[in-house]
């Protein structure tokens, strides 16, 4: 594009100044001035045509404005325009979405034809939204996505890591444990069970995180509202993540990537050494009137740093090779990769081998293709609760002790701790998970008419899953019995098949004024799970860890098979009129085998409307908007989704066979019994969602802003109803009870800056979430979860609210004790608040101390380029969430001789602490150690420097000098989790723990802190 500034020869003021130096020229200008004014007044209109420089095609709906005013018009479908000019008009400004703005001088012309140069949009041109593909500008649903380039620039190992903070409305709690899936929650928790969204990989439904190589991803699109997700019916209640993998394009190319790095836990929890521990332990025994234990009276000359013993420096390497290409009628992509991640905690790690082939072939009206991914992974995770024991275990105990049966030291009469040696806990167990998985689709598509095509889609997800836990013989805990070596092995074979018959209609009418894209089809999915579990103990050779090497006594074998099916009819349509009025509608009828015959089917639908106001002729005259906002779109949607995620056979009453019973004269009779109460009346859970949004384009479309507000209400919750033990059944029935509401605001902004050779893309995301249980059902009985039952789900509160006693400092005198509701307390004890005023401290005094649901989460992402350098900076943060710190409970409880945090000063007459109670061992200090108090509740707010990278593209002549035939390879250094700003006292405010949806935000010792990773890499294109 050539941008012409207004011709200065026509600037009459400039010419008038020149006349004072050149009389003849000045006289000529003065003579022409009246004629020019008359000519300007005489010209009251002009016309012209706007086309694209790329292909000379007309540019419809381009805005033509008189420079310096809001007066203007829009081009028609042929790119033509006609405009009335006000007095004094000198320039015209041409603006269109996807093109650079152009300003030209009128110069008295009656016809002005211009060519606009295409420019990158702030939003991708096309997005895959499941069964349909749309221009981003035509989308009226609430969606957001991440491109493959953005994923690869972060150098992440899993898909969830790529989404962290990138998409407003998506909360991700990730563990640093190698290979462990993250917990993903889209727009709040609307279910009391599994919160995992549906993943759709190249058309195949996957109910959990697919084990894909992030380098294979072309795009990920998150379908957030009911209108976007309704096309996937019952499986979309928790949201949908649509994943499209890369395809071959252009000439044959070979891409090689390789990186190697190191990772370590970036923070240590300061703990006492042996001398400090012994001093506090002596106080605890003396205050209890007991004899001081030998280990505290005469501390041994050792001081074990258990964090140094458990934490290590792990290596990570990631390598991949991709070969791709395409012709006019065919394309292919073949890729393979290997990832090895040695954990930052001993005895943990993850390995992944992956292979992919995507290809497509077109012959006339027929197109055939497939997208297949194979992966093999092995993950070795945490055993027991090592991150509780790593702070609980006293430093007076060494790591190893050759006199014990295990070779590891543990508590004794001298140091009578009942914690477990964390190093032995990790090294004495071989606990690993192996998965071999195939995820793929193959399709045949026939072009029936120019606007109508039929597609048969066959999808498959096959997984062979093996988990083995071998516990070696040996004692790791004081006074534990010596148990034999034990092996538990679980083998699952899971099969999921998808059959789809789809008709797609895509047509434009009225010279492009009307555009209709619709799909109708039948889809069927069948799933089966075969499970075998074997248990053995008593291994003579503990290095031979197979089932048959164990003894025959106390063996246990079990096997089961589960099947389910889902059938559906679906219709989805997208309509756009003159790029201004948008409509999307979806209807799907699902039939699920998980419900009884009378409630098996459910019909769910949703719709959305969009209005591109900036395409209206009156838009330029609107104050502020007309001149300041180039693109303005309003969106609204409403829909209903179902939920069937309750497991199989819940409507029936399973009978367990093979149970023996003694009858009469000690005669053994075979029997069977019912283990679960049946509920044939359970039905679909209903999720209703309303969404209102706006999309803006500003600063000549260099800045895009998207904002959404949503209200999501889930009714008829599918919950397991508690029943009394006296009924004699083990399993509890599933019932429809209760209502949950989530509301929130989401904001996403992207700005693109270019100046010379410098480019900078900046993205910002913010979201708020408010979760409330409107009604729980079940007679209003709350549900307790988490350690000690600290998390409570009840009417009027968020799911998993921390329900604890309120503390009010420390008693400083006997008078304060007598005036309180704790007559048995002593000075130095924790003072609790009697909230109900009955003069006692009981469970009735517990209160809402917050929940793990943050008030605000967000991220800031910068991606820049300068000459041959590129860089990224990613920040993520969260504010308002709470954490129940179980590890701190063990270090600060003060009635146990576990280790203590450095600097902890218990109350004493000479140290009247207002935060830390007196140290007193045994029952007298039990009330101070009450786990159900807000002493252990901390703020989970944080701001994390998630990722920093710097890359350099090596010049081609340097590469040729090295004898390598490559296209400007890139070398880079990448740092993940550089630093976290937080007031949380433990290692990491991002907690995952047991991933219980009813007990989120609990640092329960099973967490794995996110490590700091420094890696160096090479991207090479041959």
């Amino acid at each position: 594009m050539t941008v012409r500034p207004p011709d200065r020869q026509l600037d009459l003021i400039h010419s008038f100044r020149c006349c004072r130096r050149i009389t003849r020229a000045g006289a000529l200008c003065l003579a022409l001035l009246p004629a020019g004014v008359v000519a300007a007044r005489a010209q009251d209109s002009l016309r012209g045509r706007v086309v694209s420089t790329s292909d000379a095609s007309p540019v419809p709906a381009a805005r033509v404005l008189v420079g310096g005013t809001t007066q203007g018009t829009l081009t028609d479908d042929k790119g033509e325009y006609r405009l009335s000019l006000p007095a004094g008009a000198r320039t015209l400004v041409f603006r269109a979405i996807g093109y650079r703005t152009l300003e030209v001088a009128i110069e008295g012309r009656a016809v002005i034809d211009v060519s606009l140069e295409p420019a990158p949009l702030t939003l991708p041109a096309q997005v895959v939204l499941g069964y349909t593909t749309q221009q981003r500008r035509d989308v009226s649903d609430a969606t957001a996505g991440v491109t493959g380039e953005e994923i690869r620039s972060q150098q992440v190992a899993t898909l969830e890591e790529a989404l962290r903070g990138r998409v407003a409305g998506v909360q991700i709690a990730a563990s640093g444990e190698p290979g462990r899936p993250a917990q993903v929650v889209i727009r709040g928790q609307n279910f009391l069970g599994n919160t995992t969204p549906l993943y759709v990989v190249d058309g195949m439904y996957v109910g959990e995180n697919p084990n894909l190589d992030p380098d294979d991803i072309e795009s990920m699109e998150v379908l957030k509202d009911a209108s976007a997700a309704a096309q996937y019916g019952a499986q979309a209640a928790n949201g949908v993540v649509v994943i499209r993998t890369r395809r071959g394009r252009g000439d044959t190319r070979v891409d090689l990537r390789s990186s190697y790095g190191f990772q370590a836990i970036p923070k240590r929890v300061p703990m006492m050494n042996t001398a400090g521990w012994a001093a506090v332990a002596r106080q605890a025994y003396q205050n209890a009137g007991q004899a001081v234990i030998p280990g505290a009276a005469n501390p041994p000359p050792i001081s074990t740093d258990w964090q140094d013993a458990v934490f290590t420096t792990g290596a990570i390497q990631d390598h991949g090779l991709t070969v791709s290409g395409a012709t006019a009628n065919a394309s292919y992509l073949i890729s393979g990769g290997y990832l090895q991640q040695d954990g930052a905690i001993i005895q943990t790690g993850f390995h992944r081998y992956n292979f992919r082939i995507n290809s497509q072939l077109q012959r006339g009206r027929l197109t055939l293709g497939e997208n297949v991914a194979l992966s093999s992974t092995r993950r070795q995770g945490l055993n027991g609760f090592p991150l509780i024991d790593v702070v609980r275990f006293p430093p007076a105990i060494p790591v190893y002790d050759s006199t014990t049966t295990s070779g590891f030291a543990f508590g004794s009469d001298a140091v009578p701790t009942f914690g477990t040696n964390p190093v032995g806990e990790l090294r004495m167990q071989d606990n690993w998970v192996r998965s071999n998985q195939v995820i793929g689709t193959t399709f045949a598509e026939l072009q029936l008419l120019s606007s109508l095509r039929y597609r048969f889609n066959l999808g498959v997800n096959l997984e062979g899953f093996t988990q083995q836990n071998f516990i070696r013989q040996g004692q790791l805990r004081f006074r534990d019995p010596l148990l034999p070596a034990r092996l538990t092995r679980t083998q699952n074979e899971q099969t999921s098949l998808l059959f789809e018959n789809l008709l797609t209609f895509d047509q434009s009418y009225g010279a492009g004024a009307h555009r209709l894209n619709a799909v109708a089809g039948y889809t069927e999915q069948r799933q089966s799970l075969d499970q075998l579990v074997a248990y053995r103990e008593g291994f003579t050779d503990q290095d031979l860890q197979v089932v048959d090497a164990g003894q025959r006594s106390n063996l246990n074998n079990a096997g089961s098979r589960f099947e389910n099916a889902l059938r559906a009819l679906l219709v989805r349509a997208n309509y756009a009129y003159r790029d201004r009025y948008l409509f999307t509608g979806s209807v799907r009828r699902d039939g699920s085998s998980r419900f009884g015959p009378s409630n098996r089917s459910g019909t769910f639908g949703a719709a959305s409307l969009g209005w591109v106001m900036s395409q209206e002729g009156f838009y330029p005259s609107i104050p502020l908007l007309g001149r300041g906002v180039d693109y303005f779109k309003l969106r609204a949607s409403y829909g209903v989704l179902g939920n069937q995620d309750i497991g199989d056979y819940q409507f029936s009453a399973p009978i367990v066979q093979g149970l023996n019973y003694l009858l009469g004269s000690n005669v053994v009779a075979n029997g069977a019994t019912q283990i679960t109460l049946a509920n044939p009346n359970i039905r679909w859970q209903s999720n209703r969602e309303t969404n209102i949004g706006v999309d803006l384009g500003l600063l000549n479309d260099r800045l895009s802003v998207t904002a959404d507000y949503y209200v999501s209400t889930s009714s008829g919750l599918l919950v397991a109803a508690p029943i009394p033990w006296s009924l004699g059944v083990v399993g509890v029935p599933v019932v429809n009870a209760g209502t949950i509401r989530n509301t929130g605001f989401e904001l996403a902004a992207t700005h693109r800056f270019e100046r010379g050779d410098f480019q900078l893309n900046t993205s910002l995301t913010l979201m708020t979430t408010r979760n409330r249980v409107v009604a729980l059902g079940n007679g209003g009985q709350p549900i307790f979860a988490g350690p000690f039952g600290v998390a409570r789900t009840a009417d009027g509160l968020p799911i998993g609210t921390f329900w604890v006693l309120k503390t009010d400092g420390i008693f400083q005198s006997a008078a304060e004790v007598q005036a309180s509701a704790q007559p048995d307390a002593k000075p130095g004890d924790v003072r609790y608040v009697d909230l109900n005023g009955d003069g006692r401290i009981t469970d009735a005094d517990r209160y809402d101390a917050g929940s793990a649901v943050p008030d605000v989460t967000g991220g800031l992402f910068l991606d820049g380029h300068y000459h041959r350098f590129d860089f990224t900076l990613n920040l993520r943060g969260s504010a308002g969430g709470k954490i129940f710190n179980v590890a701190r409970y063990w270090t600060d409880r003060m009635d146990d001789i576990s280790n203590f945090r450095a600097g902890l000063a218990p109350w004493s007459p000479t140290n009247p602490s207002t935060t830390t109670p007196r140290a007193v061992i045994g029952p007298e200090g039990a009330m101070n150690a009450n786990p159900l108090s807000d002493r252990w509740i901390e703020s989970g707010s944080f701001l994390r420097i998630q990722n920093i990278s710097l890359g350099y593209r090596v010049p081609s002549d340097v590469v040729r000098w090295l004898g390598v035939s490559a296209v400007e390879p890139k070398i880079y250094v990448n740092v993940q989790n550089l630093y976290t700003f937080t007031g949380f006292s433990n290692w990491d405010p991002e907690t995952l723990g047991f991933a219980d949806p009813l007990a989120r935000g609990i640092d329960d010792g099973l967490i794995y802190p996110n490590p700091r990773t420094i890696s160096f890499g090479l991207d090479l294109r041959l």
Side-chain angles (χ1 to χ4, degrees):
M1 176 193 72
T2 301
V3 179
R4 287 188 56 194
D7 193 343
R8 292 189 58 84
Q9 293 181 7
L10 297 179
D11 190 332
L12 301 182
I13 297 177
H14 177 75
S15 300
F16 181 73
R17 289 176 177 173
C18 292
C19 78
R20 287 184 291 186
R21 297 183 179 181
I22 307 174
T23 304
R24 187 175 179 180
L28 179 61
C29 289
L30 290 173
L32 291 176
L33 178 57
V37 173
V38 172
R41 289 178 178 173
Q43 181 184 354
D44 58 357
S45 67
L46 57 77
R47 60 184 175 84
R49 190 165 184 261
V50 181
V51 299
S52 172
T53 58
S54 61
D55 55 5
S57 61
V59 179
R63 295 171 58 191
V64 185
L65 297 172
V66 177
T69 74
T70 60
Q71 183 174 339
T73 187
L74 297 175
T75 58
D76 60 18
D77 296 331
K78 298 179 181 179
E80 297 178 352
Y81 70 94
R82 184 177 296 274
L83 179 64
S84 297
L85 295 177
R90 295 184 178 183
T91 63
L92 292 183
V93 179
F94 296 85
R95 292 178 179 172
I97 300 298
Y99 295 88
R100 298 186 185 277
T101 299
L102 178 66
E103 184 174 6
V104 299
I106 297 175
E107 300 179 339
R109 291 177 291 179
V111 178
I112 298 181
D113 297 332
V114 298
S115 299
L116 298 183
E117 181 180 346
L121 284 169
T122 54
L123 295 173
Q126 281 194 332
V127 288
V128 179
L129 299 178
Y131 288 103
T132 59
T133 299
Q134 291 179 264
Q135 297 286 330
R136 174 69 79 181
R137 56 172 293 135
D138 292 341
V139 176
S140 55
D141 301 331
T143 67
V146 178
T147 66
E149 280 75 15
E150 291 172 329
I151 295 173
R152 284 183 284 278
S153 69
Q154 298 181 72
Q155 307 299 325
V156 295
T158 64
L159 300 182
E160 296 102 326
E161 290 181 81
L163 287 175
R164 294 166 80 175
R166 282 271 182 185
V167 178
V170 180
Q171 295 178 351
I172 298 179
S175 167
E177 184 173 346
R180 185 180 182 185
Q183 185 182 59
V184 180
V185 180
I186 298 177
R187 288 194 161 183
Q189 188 172 337
N190 59 23
F191 185 48
L192 298 184
N194 181 26
T195 63
T196 303
L198 172 69
Y199 294 87
V200 180
V201 182
D202 293 326
M204 180 59 198
Y205 295 23
V206 183
E208 57 186 12
N209 171 38
N211 218 342
L212 302 179
D213 184 349
D215 192 60
D216 286 339
I217 305 302
E218 181 174 284
S219 67
M220 286 198 297
E221 197 73 18
V222 181
L223 312 185
K224 298 188 288 186
D225 70 346
S227 180
Q231 56 190 305
Y232 293 107
Q235 300 183 73
N238 293 328
V240 183
V241 180
V242 179
I243 299 173
R244 177 178 170 85
T245 57
R246 296 164 62 191
R247 269 70 171 164
R249 292 183 176 87
D251 296 333
T252 299
R253 59 181 287 177
V254 179
D255 294 285
L256 174 67
R257 59 177 173 82
S258 182
S259 67
Y260 189 88
F262 303 91
Q263 55 184 12
I265 305 300
K267 179 182 177 181
R268 295 290 192 270
V269 177
M271 303 298 296
M272 288 186 178
N273 58 20
T274 297
W277 166 83
V280 177
R282 285 194 295 269
Q283 285 188 46
Y285 279 93
Q286 290 168 355
N287 289 338
Q290 299 182 26
V292 177
I293 56 175
N298 298 292
I302 59 172
S303 188
T304 303
D305 188 324
W306 288 101
Q307 292 177 87
D308 282 350
V310 170
F311 296 161
T312 185
T313 299
I316 181 171
Q317 55 180 315
D318 189 8
H319 313 285
L321 177 67
T322 301
V323 181
S324 62
T327 64
N329 299 315
S331 67
Y332 71 92
L333 181 144
I334 302 173
S335 70
Y338 171 67
L339 170 70
Q340 177 181 341
Q341 185 177 3
D342 298 329
I345 293 178
I346 60 173
Q347 297 296 108
T348 62
F350 178 69
H351 297 254
R352 180 183 67 215
Y353 299 88
N354 60 275
F355 176 78
R356 168 171 292 280
I357 178 168
N358 293 351
S359 68
Q360 183 171 307
L361 175 65
Q362 182 178 357
R363 284 292 183 266
R365 292 174 175 267
L366 181 64
T367 302
L368 303 174
E370 86 285 324
N371 307 283
V372 180
L374 295 85
S375 65
S376 178
T377 65
R378 190 180 192 276
R379 176 168 67 94
Q380 188 160 353
L382 296 177
N383 304 316
F385 300 91
L387 295 193
I388 285 180
D389 290 313
V390 79
V391 293
R392 180 186 179 186
F393 228 57
I397 300 176
V399 176
Y400 301 100
D401 184 349
S402 60
T403 65
T404 67
T405 56
S406 63
F408 293 96
F410 46 84
S412 62
D413 290 329
V415 185
T417 179
F418 289 91
T420 303
N421 185 312
V423 177
E425 198 169 19
L426 291 165
R427 294 196 181 278
M428 290 284 287
Q429 293 191 49
D430 296 320
N431 184 9
W432 52 263
V433 174
R434 184 176 64 236
S435 171
N436 297 314
Q437 190 172 22
V438 178
I439 301 176
T441 55
T442 182
F443 67 90
E445 186 172 277
L446 181 64
Q447 194 77 38
L448 302 176
L449 301 171
S450 60
S451 58
L452 183 66
R453 61 185 184 271
Y454 164 76
R455 181 183 180 108
F456 173 74
N457 190 48
L458 173 63
V460 63
N461 179 15
L462 304 176
E463 182 180 16
F465 173 93
T466 302
Q467 179 174 8
Q468 180 165 301
N469 185 19
F470 186 87
I471 304 175
R472 296 175 178 270
Q473 185 179 34
Q475 192 174 355
L476 295 173
R477 187 171 181 266
F478 184 41
R479 293 180 179 171
D480 265 4
L482 180 62
L483 299 176
R486 307 178 297 284
L487 170 68
T488 303
R489 185 180 178 93
T490 302
Q491 289 190 214
N492 293 343
E493 289 188 4
Q494 184 170 348
T495 302
S496 178
L497 298 175
L498 176 69
F499 307 91
E500 292 185 322
N501 293 275
L502 305 171
L503 280 175
T504 301
F505 181 81
D506 198 342
Q507 181 69 53
S508 298
Y509 305 93
H514 303 268
R515 295 197 308 274
L516 177 62
N517 172 246
V519 62
Y522 168 80
T523 176
E524 179 174 335
Q525 191 171 4
R526 294 184 173 274
Q527 295 181 331
S528 64
L529 171 65
D530 292 286
Q531 185 177 75
L532 290 174
V533 181
Y535 171 81
R536 297 292 188 275
E537 61 182 38
F539 288 76
T540 304
D541 183 354
Q542 297 189 60
D543 292 325
L544 185 59
Q545 300 174 6
V546 295
V547 172
D548 281 350
Q551 297 178 358
R552 298 290 179 176
S553 59
N554 295 327
L555 62 82
N556 187 24
N557 299 321
S560 57
R561 179 177 176 83
F562 299 89
E563 295 181 340
N564 66 76
L566 188 69
R567 296 175 179 174
L569 296 171
L570 67 95
V571 176
R572 179 175 173 85
N574 303 309
Y575 171 73
Y577 175 64
R578 293 192 177 276
D579 296 323
R580 305 176 194 174
Y581 312 112
L582 313 173
F583 170 78
T584 294
S586 301
V587 177
R588 177 161 172 153
R589 182 169 177 80
D590 280 307
S592 173
S593 64
R594 290 181 168 177
F595 298 102
S598 60
N599 295 310
R600 188 149 289 171
S601 297
T603 301
F604 308 97
S608 65
L609 297 172
W611 179 26
V612 186
M613 188 189 299
S614 54
Q615 298 294 81
E616 298 288 357
F618 62 80
Y619 182 78
S621 62
I622 300 176
L624 298 179
L625 290 179
R627 296 188 62 181
V629 181
D630 307 305
Y631 181 74
F632 187 94
K633 178 171 67 176
L634 294 173
R635 297 178 284 104
S637 69
Y638 175 79
V640 182
L641 301 176
N643 193 331
Q644 55 135 21
D645 196 4
I646 56 173
D648 300 323
Y649 317 123
Q650 294 295 329
F651 67 91
S652 62
I655 303 297
V656 175
Q657 302 183 27
L659 299 178
N660 299 331
Y661 196 80
L662 290 176
L663 294 175
S665 302
N666 294 329
V667 177
V668 178
N670 292 327
T673 187
Q674 177 179 333
I675 61 172
T676 302
L677 295 180
N679 182 11
N681 297 319
I682 53 174
R683 63 186 188 279
W684 298 84
Q685 177 177 313
S686 175
N687 298 346
R688 301 176 182 272
E689 183 171 358
T690 301
N691 188 93
I692 299 174
V694 60
D695 298 332
L696 305 176
L698 303 93
L699 305 177
N700 295 331
D701 297 316
R702 292 192 301 272
L703 173 64
S704 68
V705 178
T706 297
D708 286 273
Y709 177 77
Y710 67 89
V711 177
S712 176
T713 304
S714 302
S715 57
L717 295 179
L718 293 166
V719 299
I723 57 175
W725 288 100
S726 58
L727 292 179
V729 293
V730 177
V732 296
V734 174
V735 299
N736 293 97
T739 301
I740 294 175
R741 178 171 294 127
N742 290 281
T743 59
F745 173 78
E746 300 166 358
L747 176 68
T750 301
H751 180 263
R752 301 182 186 275
F753 175 81
E754 293 184 19
R755 179 167 294 176
D757 294 327
F758 180 73
Q759 299 176 357
L760 178 65
N761 299 331
T762 305
S763 297
L764 171 71
T765 62
L766 289 173
M767 64 170 290
T768 67
T769 302
R770 188 173 186 270
N771 173 267
R772 284 293 181 273
V773 177
V774 178
L776 193 57
N778 192 35
Q781 293 296 315
I783 299 175
F784 290 92
F788 317 109
V790 68
R792 181 178 186 259
T793 299
D795 293 355
L797 297 173
I799 295 175
T801 294
F802 295 128
W803 194 249
V804 294
L805 294 174
K806 187 177 184 63
T807 58
D808 186 25
I810 306 296
F811 287 115
Q812 300 297 326
S813 65
E816 290 183 2
V817 172
Q818 293 303 314
S820 73
Q822 300 167 246
D824 295 331
K826 292 183 179 180
D829 287 345
V830 175
R831 177 166 51 197
Y832 298 100
V833 178
D834 180 17
L835 290 178
N836 67 354
D838 65 354
R840 299 180 301 161
I841 300 299
T842 64
D843 282 348
D845 295 307
R846 291 162 69 177
Y847 79 109
D848 169 15
S851 74
V853 179
D855 297 327
V856 180
T857 60
L860 178 65
F861 303 86
L862 289 84
D863 179 6
H865 303 267
Y866 182 72
H867 290 291
R868 296 186 176 277
F869 291 93
D870 62 73
F871 63 90
T872 61
L873 171 62
N874 301 343
L875 305 175
R876 289 191 308 109
S878 173
K882 301 295 184 181
I883 299 175
F884 181 66
N885 192 342
V886 181
R888 183 164 161 254
Y889 162 77
W890 284 101
T891 61
D892 292 18
R893 55 183 295 174
M894 308 312 298
D895 70 332
D896 187 81
I897 61 161
S898 60
N899 200 6
F900 311 101
R901 288 183 297 115
L904 192 70
W907 183 96
S908 69
T910 59
N911 178 43
S913 173
T914 59
T915 57
T916 304
R918 63 193 179 110
V920 54
I921 202 72
E924 189 176 343
M927 196 61 182
N928 294 333
N930 190 336
L932 298 176
S933 82
D934 58 11
R935 281 187 67 199
W936 324 115
I937 306 296
E938 298 187 35
S939 170
S941 301
F942 70 91
L943 175 63
R944 170 166 286 167
I945 304 177
Q946 182 65 37
N947 194 79
I948 293 181
S949 69
L950 177 64
Y952 177 75
R953 294 198 173 276
V954 182
S956 300
D957 52 353
V958 175
V959 177
R960 287 193 297 269
W961 180 79
L962 294 174
V964 179
S965 176
V967 180
E968 294 192 347
K970 174 185 173 181
I971 56 176
Y972 63 86
V973 58
N974 186 77
V975 181
Q976 290 181 311
N977 193 22
L978 177 64
Y979 189 79
T980 302
F981 302 91
T982 182
F984 184 57
S985 62
N986 265 20
W987 301 280
D988 194 342
E990 285 196 272
T991 58
L992 187 57
F994 288 109
D996 184 349
L998 298 182
R1000 294 165 59 192
I1002 295 180
D1003 188 342
D1004 53 19
L1006 196 64
I1007 70 159
Y1008 196 118
N1010 284 277
R1012 177 183 297 133
T1013 304
I1014 302 175
S1015 58
F1016 303 87
L1018 169 68
D1019 290 343
L1020 189 66
R1021 178 181 172 186
L1022 303 177

